[in-house]
Structures are given as C-alpha cells and as structure tokens.
C-alpha cells in the first residue's frame, strides 16, 4: 500500500513520544476486536492487546483522507495538508513539553492549530462531522474538514492552560485514537451529550480539554469561569463563547507546578480511554487498563483536573494595547473588545415566576404560555433584552427622532429628514446590536413551535403581500431586519459617517419597519439582525457559497415582473433625487449625443463645458451641433 494512502490519524512521531526508554514500539489495545467465524461455525474473538506494536501499524486507516475522481485516487490531503501540519505540529508539541519560553513564543499559534486539526482528523472527529452533514460525499467531507480548521482555537487560548507532569509517577500517560479528549464532570460516557461520536462542547463551562503531550506531560485546558468557580453550572455556556475570532493572550501563561501521583495519572488515563473510539496505546500493557484501579464516580474525578487556585492570577483581567496610530485596543477576560452595555442587560427574577407573570424571555406573553414548559436549554436568554424588546426600543427611538407621535404626515417627515436624524437612527440601531452580541442566545430554539423564514425582498412594497399572512399558518415568522449595522462596515461606507448617502435607504427601512412592528409586538414576527454582523467567519463562508452558486445561476429579470417593477421605481426615485449636474451626467452617459449645442439656443449646452470636461476628460465642442 502507498504510504500516503495508509493514513495515520495519530502521527507516528506523536506515538513515539510514549515509548518506554530503550524501546521503539507500543503496547496497543483494540477494545472491540473483529470477530472471526471459523469453518465449523464457531465464533472467536482474538486477543485485542499487543505488547510490541510498531507505529507503522497503529492508528492508521486506508484512504481516510483520500479523495476520488472516477477511478483516480488523490492523496494530496495526506501529503500536502497533513505533511505540513505534522511537520510544524511536532516541533510545537516538543516545545511545550519543555520549559524554554522562547520556543513557546515561536510555536504558540502552531501548537493550537495542530491541536484543533488533531481533534477533527481522527475517525471519531470525521464521524462527528458526518453527523452534522450526513449527505456529504468523501470529497465534500475532506473539503469541509479543511474549512472548519481552527474552530476551537480561540476558546482554548482564552482559558486556563496547565501542563501536568507524570515524571515522578510510576504510571505514565497513555493516548487514544482520539487524543484530544473532552472531560465534563456532568457528562459521563452514558450521557446523551457523550453518545458516539459526540463530545461535550468545549464552550460549556465545565468542559476541559485533555491532550497528552508525551508519556510524562499532559495538557489540560479549562474555561476561566469554571476554574475560578468550580460550582458553576457545568452545562451552561461560558461567557462570549465565540469561535473564529482574534484574541490577545499571554503566551507565557502556563501552569506547570503539579506533579501527579500514580493514582491521578491513572484517573486521567481512565478518562482518555473512556472517550476513545476503539484503540488506545501506551508504554506498558498494564497501563492500558486504568478501569481496574479507578473506583471513583465520573463526577468525582473533577478534582484531578482542577487547576490550582493560587495560580489563576496569570489568566483573565483586562488588556489595553496602544498602537503607533494612537488607537487603543481593549480586551476583557473573555475576549470582548468593549464593555457590556448595561441598558441591554436584565436582572434575574428575584423569585420564581408565577404562570400569570410576564415571561422573562421578553416575548411579552405570560410565563405559562411561553417558557414554563420549556427546558432551560430551549429558552432564549433571560439575562439580556430580547430581540423583540430591542425592536420596541428602536421603534420608540425612531418615533421620537422623526416626531411621528405628533400630527406630521409622511411627506412632511421626508422633507424634514436631515443628515443628523439619519445618523441618530443608525447610531441607535448600532447601540442596540453591538458586534459582540451573542445572537444565538437570543434566537428561538428548536422547541416544537412551527416557524417559517421569509426569504423574499426586504421591501415595504412586498412584505405585506407575502409575509404578513404567514403567521396565520405558522406560529412565528422570522424576517431579516431592514436596517444595516454601521459598526460592521468600513468607516468610509458607514451611514453614521456619511448619512446623506443613505437617505433613500433609511426611508424605505423606516416604512418597512413601522409596517411590520405591530406583528413584532404581538410576537407573530421575529425581526432579527443579520447574523453575519456578529460572526465574520460566517460572513466569509456565505460569500464563498454565494460565489459558487452565482456561477451556476442564470437570472432572467423578465421572469420576475414584480421585482423588475420595484427596480424601475427605485431607479426613477434615485434619479429624481440627484443634484441637477449629476442628473445631466447620467443622461450623458447613456445618451452622449444629447450633449451638443442647440442652434436655436447658442452657447447653452445641456451640460456646462467645465463639468463635462472634468467628468469625461473630453471637450463638448468636439460634438457637432444638432441640425
């Protein structure tokens, strides 16, 4: 078999770190060996443990990463992707097995990149990916595996980092076919969250990531909130649990003070084996059976994984960085770049709600009719103002800014709309939706309520015809918000910086918003902001998908007469709102022969000579006079 088709999902260099001194092979255990049927019909189960297994035969699978094009087999992922990752990853793992901080600094980013891809590249990791995308072919699966690289890095870097030692222990660390292991004291192997191929999410407060570096050292990553308060709710998400973002961290902040006993090492080995798919390996055969020595319950093992409280001062706190431009970057202990806005937070109810009380989720309904029967995990957040409440604040703000609570009609409102009013409206929307909003916590959960998503044009002329009747058939209609978030745009395009450019847009958005707000207030429509405003990685992925789809799409505007009509009306509205000289320029661009001197009105061109020359680089005298 070609070496690059015999894919080692646990690299051979990593396996070698668990050799006993003087040896070049592993003790290797197959926990579910294949059953064999003999010619006489008897079934035997071979011995699943070997004491002298070379790395070339362990933790590998044929064509795990191969892609197929007809009868051709492509092994570029193994050669180019993992060849590079393993080359750099091996240096990073060795660096953090040592104590040279210069090496830590050099390999810090690579170390966590390797840790992330190692979690995904195993058969268990790929099976987890298939659960989320069951229809993917092998080629598509390999593409998706590469797309979600670095998924976990930010949360790991933002936590407490500890490297524990087994140097003084008679028992050494083992490793499994899924060496990046997750331990949560509230999620034993029989828990639904741990059902194969799932692991407890690393965003859960009590989830800790375990990765043996070699036989003597093991990395343990803990969420800061849990490390500071072990009594925190174990299945609650940590604060600002967001993937794919930039974050500042102290590279030298690693706790390396704990020397584990043989009993503690065995407990870690027990967790590693419990979360394995099929195989485990180590220096000695007897270390591969930690369950023979561990008598504690799953939850009682937490003390072995808890970092020492007197070393936590290295983590958390606020950071301020001033750049040469004068800009100061701020980051709090959770990676947020601005402080929480107090007016968006809600205090927890002082006592349990009665069925007739207004529900804490902000829906406006009674507790009995809303969240009383829902598990806590299926409720929107009660700690922040809901989507509906923020839309009500925005509605009240717009009414106040435009003076709509008086006797002004719409024509008067349009005439009196100034740049300052436009700026205030977009500033209010930006204030209600900070870029670090946890939108997922506010969105409805899969709680059994029938919901529909409106995918039509966000236009006041179409929303009434297509969307307003949908709540009659569905419990709730989800509609994209008409306003754009200025903070998510480049400064030169922001409506808060250049409000005059958004006059037509803001008028259309206001009409749309006010027209649909009665249904929002009743809870029949959920008017949500663009999720891409809060997740730039999602935005990049959607752009990629749209480019791929756009290349295959053929759009005929004549087949959409309603849309064509709206576009024509918008074009006319834009033209009529242009300054006179700009309007003349548009006429010129489409009808250049019209820019000629009329003989019945000498010296009076449609567009004046200096402006024509400035905008076109040509002289209007070059055009012959109209007969």
């Amino acid at each position: 078999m070609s070496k690059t088709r015999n894919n080692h999902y646990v690299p051979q260099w990593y396996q070698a770190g668990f050799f006993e001194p003087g040896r070049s092979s592993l003790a290797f255990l197959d926990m579910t060996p294949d059953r064999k049927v003999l010619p006489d019909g008897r079934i035997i189960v071979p011995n699943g443990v070997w004491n002298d297994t070379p790395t070339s035969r362990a933790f590998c699978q044929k064509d795990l990463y191969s892609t197929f094009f007809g009868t051709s087999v492509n092994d570029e992922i193994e050669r180019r992707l993992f060849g590079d990752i393993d080359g750099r990853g091996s240096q990073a793992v060795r660096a953090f097995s040592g104590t040279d901080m210069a090496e830590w600094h050099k390999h810090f980013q690579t170390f966590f990149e390797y840790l992330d891809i190692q979690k995904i590249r195993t058969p268990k990791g790929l099976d987890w990916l298939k659960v989320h995308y069951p229809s993917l072919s092998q080629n598509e699966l390999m593409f998706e595996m590469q797309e979600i690289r670095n998924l976990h890095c930010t949360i790991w870097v933002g936590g407490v980092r500890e490297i524990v030692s087994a140097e003084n222990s008679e028992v050494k660390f083992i490793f499994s076919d899924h060496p990046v292991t997750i331990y949560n004291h509230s999620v034993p192997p029989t828990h639904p969250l741990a059902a194969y191929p799932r692991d407890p999410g690393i965003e859960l407060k009590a989830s800790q990531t375990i990765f043996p570096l070699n036989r003597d050292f093991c990395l343990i990553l803990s969420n800061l909130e849990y490390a500071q308060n072990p009594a925190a709710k174990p299945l609650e998400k940590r604060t600002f649990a967001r993937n794919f973002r930039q974050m500042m961290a102290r590279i030298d902040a690693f706790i390396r003070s704990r020397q584990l006993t043989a009993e503690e090492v065995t407990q870690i080995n027990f967790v590693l084996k419990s979360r394995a798919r099929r195989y485990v390996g180590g220096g000695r055969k007897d270390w591969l059976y930690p369950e023979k020595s561990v008598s504690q319950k799953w939850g009682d093992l937490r003390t072995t994984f808890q970092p020492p409280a007197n070393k936590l001062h290295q983590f958390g706190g606020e950071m301020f960085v001033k750049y040469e431009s004068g800009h100061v970057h701020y980051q709090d202990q959770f990676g947020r770049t601005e402080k929480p806005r107090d007016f968006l937070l809600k205090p927890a109810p002082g006592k349990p709600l009665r069925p007739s009380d207004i529900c804490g989720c902000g829906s406006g309904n009674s507790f009995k009719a809303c969240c009383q029967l829902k598990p806590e995990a299926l409720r929107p957040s009660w700690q922040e103002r809901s989507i509906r409440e923020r839309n009500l604040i925005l509605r009240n703000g717009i009414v106040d800014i435009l003076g709509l609570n008086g006797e002004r009609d719409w024509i008067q409102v349009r005439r009196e709309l100034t740049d300052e009013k436009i700026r205030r409206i977009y500033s209010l929307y930006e204030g209600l939706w900070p870029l670090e909003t946890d939108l997922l916590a506010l969105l409805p959960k899969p709680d059994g309520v029938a919901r529909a998503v409106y995918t039509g044009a966000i236009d006041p002329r179409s929303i009434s015809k297509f969307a307003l009747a949908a709540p009659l058939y569905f419990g709730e209609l989800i509609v994209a918000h008409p306003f754009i978030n200025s903070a998510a745009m480049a400064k030169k395009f922001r409506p808060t910086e250049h409000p005059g450019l958004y006059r037509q847009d803001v008028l259309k958005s206001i009409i749309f918003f006010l027209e649909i707000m009665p249904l929002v207030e009743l809870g029949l429509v959920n008017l949500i902001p663009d999720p891409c405003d809060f997740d730039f990685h999602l935005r990049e992925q959607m752009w990629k998908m749209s480019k791929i789809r756009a290349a295959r799409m053929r759009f005929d505007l004549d087949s959409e007469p309603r849309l064509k009509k709206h576009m024509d009306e918008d074009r006319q509205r834009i033209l009529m709102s242009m300054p006179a000289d700009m309007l003349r320029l548009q006429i010129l661009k489409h009808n250049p022969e019209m820019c000629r001197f009329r003989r019945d009105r000498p010296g009076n061109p449609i567009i004046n000579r200096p402006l024509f020359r400035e905008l076109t680089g040509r002289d209007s005298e070059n055009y012959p006079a109209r007969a």
Side-chain angles (χ1 to χ4, degrees):
M1 185 191 305
S2 168
K3 182 178 180 180
T4 52
R5 291 186 63 183
N6 187 31
N7 305 141
H8 279 82
Y9 49 86
V10 178
Q12 291 179 262
W13 61 262
Y14 177 79
Q15 299 179 46
F18 296 84
F19 290 163
E20 283 293 275
R23 298 194 60 186
S24 58
S25 59
L26 292 168
F28 182 73
L29 173 64
D30 182 351
M31 295 185 290
T32 55
D34 296 328
R35 306 169 75 185
K36 292 185 178 180
V37 180
L38 300 179
D40 58 4
R42 288 182 298 148
I43 299 177
I44 62 171
V45 180
N47 179 18
V49 64
W50 296 269
N51 201 34
D52 193 22
T53 303
T55 59
S56 60
R57 296 179 57 187
F59 304 100
C60 58
Q61 182 174 319
K62 180 182 178 182
D63 288 333
L64 184 63
Y65 310 130
S66 298
T67 52
F68 301 89
F69 302 91
T71 58
S72 175
V73 180
N74 190 305
D75 62 356
E76 286 190 353
I77 292 178
E78 172 71 16
R79 288 188 295 106
R80 297 191 178 183
L81 175 63
F82 290 123
D84 172 65
I85 289 174
D86 287 333
R88 294 184 294 113
S90 62
Q91 298 177 44
V93 170
R94 293 186 184 107
F96 284 94
S97 299
T99 57
D100 186 346
M101 290 189 183
E103 288 295 299
W104 297 0
H105 186 278
K106 180 180 178 181
H107 297 287
F108 186 85
Q109 183 171 337
T110 299
F111 179 69
F112 285 96
E113 289 176 356
Y114 170 76
L115 204 64
D116 185 86
I117 195 63
Q118 181 60 68
K119 188 177 190 306
I120 301 296
R121 72 192 284 188
T122 66
K124 181 178 178 178
L126 294 175
D127 286 344
W128 170 82
L129 199 55
K130 290 176 185 176
V131 167
H132 291 80
Y133 305 99
S135 62
L136 294 185
S137 65
Q138 171 68 6
N139 294 2
E140 293 168 333
L141 184 67
M142 292 298 99
F143 177 80
E144 188 63 28
M145 177 186 68
Q146 297 175 71
E147 287 294 305
I148 65 169
R149 289 172 57 188
N150 303 329
L151 174 67
H152 309 89
C153 291
T154 304
I155 293 180
W156 280 334
V157 169
V160 175
R161 306 183 290 275
E162 182 183 20
I163 296 176
V164 295
S165 172
E167 291 174 294
N168 298 333
S169 169
E170 296 178 356
V171 178
K172 303 299 182 181
F173 295 114
I174 64 173
F175 67 102
S176 74
D177 53 9
H178 192 62
V180 181
T181 302
I182 309 300
Y183 170 74
N184 187 306
H185 67 78
S186 191
V187 184
T190 55
H191 194 283
L193 290 178
Y196 183 87
R198 293 178 175 85
D199 276 325
I202 66 167
E203 73 281 357
L204 303 180
K205 285 185 178 177
S207 289
Q208 296 173 276
T209 302
I210 312 163
F211 178 65
L213 300 176
N214 55 37
R215 65 192 293 273
D216 286 320
F217 297 102
C218 182
L219 174 72
I220 301 176
L221 303 172
S222 307
N223 286 316
L224 179 61
E225 288 168 290
Y226 174 69
Q228 294 174 334
N229 178 24
K233 293 182 179 180
L235 301 184
E236 186 177 87
K237 280 189 177 182
R238 55 153 277 178
T239 301
F240 200 50
R242 185 174 294 183
N243 303 312
F244 296 115
R245 58 183 172 85
Q246 294 182 342
M247 184 174 183
M248 295 187 297
R250 278 188 57 182
I251 293 176
D252 63 339
F254 278 84
I255 302 173
R256 301 187 67 113
S257 59
R258 283 206 291 162
Q259 295 282 339
L260 302 187
T261 65
E263 180 183 6
E264 290 172 326
V265 174
T266 301
Q267 291 173 355
I268 291 178
N269 289 343
F270 174 72
V271 171
L272 294 170
K273 183 177 180 180
S274 298
R275 304 299 303 141
R277 176 178 180 264
R278 179 172 178 176
Y279 304 111
V280 291
R284 295 184 186 177
K285 183 168 66 175
D286 53 322
W287 297 342
L288 305 183
Y289 298 94
E291 65 275 10
K292 294 181 179 180
S293 304
V294 175
S295 58
Q296 293 92 335
K297 293 182 179 179
W298 183 264
D300 294 337
L301 300 174
R302 73 179 82 174
T303 55
T304 299
F305 296 94
Q306 191 69 32
N310 62 348
K311 300 291 183 180
L312 298 182
H313 62 274
Q314 304 176 62
F315 306 93
E318 296 179 312
M319 293 186 181
F320 295 87
V321 177
K322 185 174 182 179
Y323 296 95
E324 292 180 353
S325 63
H327 169 70
V328 176
H329 178 82
Y330 164 81
Q331 178 182 293
D332 72 1
Q333 62 179 337
F334 304 114
R336 296 176 296 196
T337 57
E338 62 179 4
K339 295 182 182 293
R341 300 178 184 181
D342 293 338
F343 69 93
L344 295 178
L345 303 178
K346 295 192 296 188
K351 56 183 180 180
L353 296 183
R354 296 172 297 180
S356 59
D357 290 338
I358 297 297
C359 188
C361 72
S363 66
N365 298 321
S366 68
F367 182 49
K368 179 180 179 180
C370 191
C371 288
Q372 185 175 16
L373 299 180
K374 296 178 184 178
E376 189 171 336
L378 295 182
R379 297 176 182 175
S381 174
W382 286 27
Q383 284 75 49
E384 298 181 67
R385 292 195 182 275
S386 68
I387 296 175
R388 172 181 171 273
E389 290 172 319
R390 299 185 197 211
N391 281 321
L392 291 175
I393 294 173
L394 179 62
R395 191 269 311 274
N396 295 338
I398 291 175
V399 168
D400 181 63
I401 292 170
L402 300 181
L404 295 176
N405 46 9
E407 297 182 355
R408 287 185 174 89
D409 58 20
W410 184 244
I411 295 177
Q412 189 175 0
V413 168
R414 289 180 58 186
R415 287 174 178 170
E416 296 177 356
L417 183 63
T418 63
D419 286 359
E420 179 58 25
K421 290 181 178 180
I422 296 174
R423 181 183 291 107
R424 289 175 61 191
I425 290 173
Y426 281 107
S427 294
L428 174 59
Y429 183 78
E430 178 185 332
L432 290 169
W433 292 107
L435 294 186
E436 293 174 346
T437 300
D438 185 0
L439 186 61
L440 288 178
L442 302 176
L443 289 173
K445 307 297 187 294
D447 52 9
V449 175
R451 295 183 175 89
V453 178
Y454 173 70
T455 59
I458 305 300
D459 190 291
R461 294 164 293 185
S462 58
I463 188 65
S464 59
K465 297 178 181 178
F466 291 95
L468 299 187
L472 298 174
Y473 303 94
F474 301 94
E476 183 178 87
L477 181 67
I478 297 175
V479 181
H481 212 290
F483 285 97
I484 57 176
N485 194 325
S486 181
M489 307 172 68
K491 190 173 183 178
K492 62 182 178 180
F493 298 121
R494 292 177 182 175
T496 51
E497 299 288 336
H498 308 283
L501 300 177
Y502 288 85
R503 182 179 179 84
Q504 295 299 325
D505 285 337
V506 75
L507 288 170
K508 187 186 298 184
S509 297
I510 291 170
I511 296 174
F512 181 99
F513 181 68
L514 295 179
E515 185 172 344
I516 206 171
M517 270 306 295
L519 294 180
V520 173
E521 192 167 3
L522 292 172
L524 297 176
V525 169
N526 202 341
L527 196 61
I528 69 169
D530 185 353
C532 294
D533 289 344
F534 315 105
D535 190 337
F536 292 156
H537 177 76
L538 174 63
R539 175 186 290 182
E540 291 175 359
Q541 295 301 306
M542 291 184 67
W543 270 111
K544 288 182 180 179
M545 292 175 62
S546 63
K547 287 180 180 179
I548 294 172
R549 292 178 178 178
R552 300 194 300 259
M553 293 177 64
R554 295 293 180 269
F555 182 73
D556 182 10
L557 193 58
D558 292 331
S559 65
E560 297 286 346
R562 188 177 290 105
L563 177 60
K564 185 177 181 180
K565 180 183 177 183
H566 289 174
M567 292 176 66
D568 289 340
E569 291 174 352
D570 288 342
R571 187 184 304 110
Q572 293 174 17
R573 189 175 294 109
I574 292 171
L575 289 174
M576 295 304 296
S577 65
M578 287 181 176
D581 283 342
M582 189 60 67
L583 182 59
R584 292 187 185 110
L585 175 62
Q586 292 298 318
I587 295 173
L588 169 67
K589 287 176 65 176
H590 297 283
N591 302 278
E593 72 281 356
M594 293 182 65
C595 190
R596 298 171 180 170
F597 290 94
R598 295 179 54 180
R599 290 184 176 177
D600 58 335
R601 301 180 64 183
N604 184 22
I606 291 179
I607 185 170
N608 65 69
R609 287 185 179 131
L611 180 63
F612 181 86
R613 189 180 300 109
E614 178 183 349
L615 296 175
T616 67
R618 296 178 291 179
D619 198 317
S620 60
E621 293 179 349
N622 293 332
Y623 287 92
R626 178 178 297 175

